[in-house]
Amino acid sequence: MSIDIVRSVAELRARVRYWRDQGLTVALVPTMGALHQGHLSLVSAALERADRVVTSVFVNPSQFGPNEDFSRYPRQEERDAELLDGAGCHLLFAPTVAEMYPDGFATTIAVGGVSEGLCGTVRPGHFAGVATVVTKLLLQALPDLAVFGEKDYQQLAVIRRFARDLDIPAVILGVPTLREADGLAMSSRNAYMTAEERAIAPWLHRALQGVADGLRAGALAADLCPKAADGLLKAGFASVDYMEVRDAASLAPADRLDRPVRILVAARLGKTRLIDNIGAVPEGA
Ligand code: AMP
């Protein structure tokens, strides 16, 4: 295997500086590892737009709540490095927790507005953890471009918001969600599911499509969303955290398809929490 792995901010900066001195552009792909084809599609998008691509793998403790899956989150660095190497990624940045959060660390990036509601309600502190670590990664690597998945649509909105608010010069690129053949969005957390749960999981995407079809037929979100959530419970989901229609850009609540919207869902299947979202646009838009 030939991809280089660096673990300190100093080494990362030295690599990026070396590339910059040669006039090369640099893209960053932040991840938590346990990589799948969805992550690799971000690397491909980055490679199309920049000369050098750095992927970070860091399971960020500050974005997990006390009862969440931080300790059991899958960690498989060797496999990740092989996949990144095969995808043409140039460097893997895999810092330790101590490198990212040295003793005395006391700063939080808190983003208002788009962090509220949806996952922000169910996972208090989650987006502050994400915003803090992504801000650090952007300042550490100083990339021209940073690439994120639409799979985590609210997270992408949060990142776009603080990047603008803090005048972070990197271009933020969102990449469409890669799905399994049956429609399930690829996710590192899919590995948690039993075979029985895995067979039920595609209902999440179907439920989103059902809401999109209903909106296109002129129905209201207030009627469609509770029915879709109920359908998920009947399919075998344990609970639905939310099923909502939002303005695609601002994430403000939307009640009908009179502008581009995003339909977002989070639901629990056994012990696994799954999230997904799709877009819908008015005809002719
Ligand atoms: P994670 O490792 O889950 O934190 O994800 C790292 C990045 O990969 C985030 O920007 C995610 O939105 C993105 N991502 C995760 N799953 C997918 C997918 N199925 N398709 C495209 N991007 C994804």
Side-chain angles (χ1 to χ4, degrees), residues 4-263:
D4 285 346
I5 304 179
V6 294
R7 300 193 187 278
S8 71
V9 176
E11 285 171 288
L12 171 67
R13 287 212 167 115
R15 295 295 183 113
V16 172
R17 200 177 315 121
Y18 174 75
W19 289 330
R20 289 223 174 278
D21 287 348
Q22 299 174 62
L24 300 173
T25 57
V26 179
L28 175 70
V29 181
T31 80
M32 296 205 301
L35 301 181
H36 50 66
Q37 293 303 317
H39 295 115
L40 299 183
S41 75
L42 305 190
V43 173
S44 298
L47 283 166
E48 278 170 24
R49 292 164 178 84
D51 300 314
R52 294 291 180 270
V53 175
V54 180
T55 298
S56 61
V57 169
F58 180 62
V59 185
N60 174 36
S62 76
Q63 71 188 69
F64 288 80
N67 299 316
E68 294 184 356
D69 55 345
F70 174 69
S71 55
R72 71 179 182 123
Y73 197 85
R75 289 160 174 87
Q76 40 196 51
E77 185 181 288
E78 211 170 307
R79 185 173 172 276
D80 289 346
E82 274 168 29
L83 287 171
L84 290 171
D85 193 39
C89 181
H90 299 92
L91 185 68
L92 167 53
F93 177 48
T96 59
V97 172
E99 179 72 6
M100 292 299 272
Y101 299 110
D103 277 351
F105 189 90
T107 300
T108 300
I109 305 292
V111 183
V114 289
S115 285
E116 288 151 21
L118 305 170
C119 286
T121 304
V122 190
R123 305 183 71 188
H126 169 68
F127 287 121
V130 169
T132 303
V133 81
V134 175
T135 300
K136 282 175 66 71
L137 290 165
L138 290 170
L139 293 175
Q140 290 163 351
L142 295 175
D144 301 280
L145 171 75
V147 186
F148 301 88
E150 289 182 349
K151 158 80 175 21
D152 300 278
Y153 198 82
Q154 189 180 13
Q155 167 176 289
L156 178 58
V158 168
I159 291 166
R160 288 193 196 284
R161 183 74 259 163
F162 77 70
R164 257 173 79 181
D165 291 352
L166 300 178
D167 303 305
I168 292 176
V171 171
I172 306 297
L173 178 71
V175 171
T177 303
L178 216 69
R179 300 179 179 280
E180 304 287 356
D182 60 10
L184 177 67
M186 291 183 186
S187 164
S188 307
R189 290 188 166 101
N190 290 352
Y192 294 158
M193 286 185 276
T194 64
E196 196 188 333
E197 289 162 357
R198 176 63 188 80
I200 296 170
W203 281 105
L204 205 60
H205 184 233
R206 279 175 221 145
L208 290 171
Q209 287 176 315
V211 173
D213 290 344
L215 290 171
R216 281 186 209 107
L220 295 177
D223 295 324
L224 295 165
C225 289
K227 279 188 200 141
D230 201 42
L232 288 176
L233 298 177
K234 290 202 174 93
F237 279 78
S239 59
V240 178
D241 287 347
Y242 60 79
M243 166 74 78
E244 290 191 35
V245 180
R246 297 287 185 110
D247 181 282
S250 69
L251 287 188
D255 54 1
R256 68 185 77 230
L257 193 55
D258 53 1
R259 56 194 139 146
V261 300
R262 207 80 193 173
I263 309 153

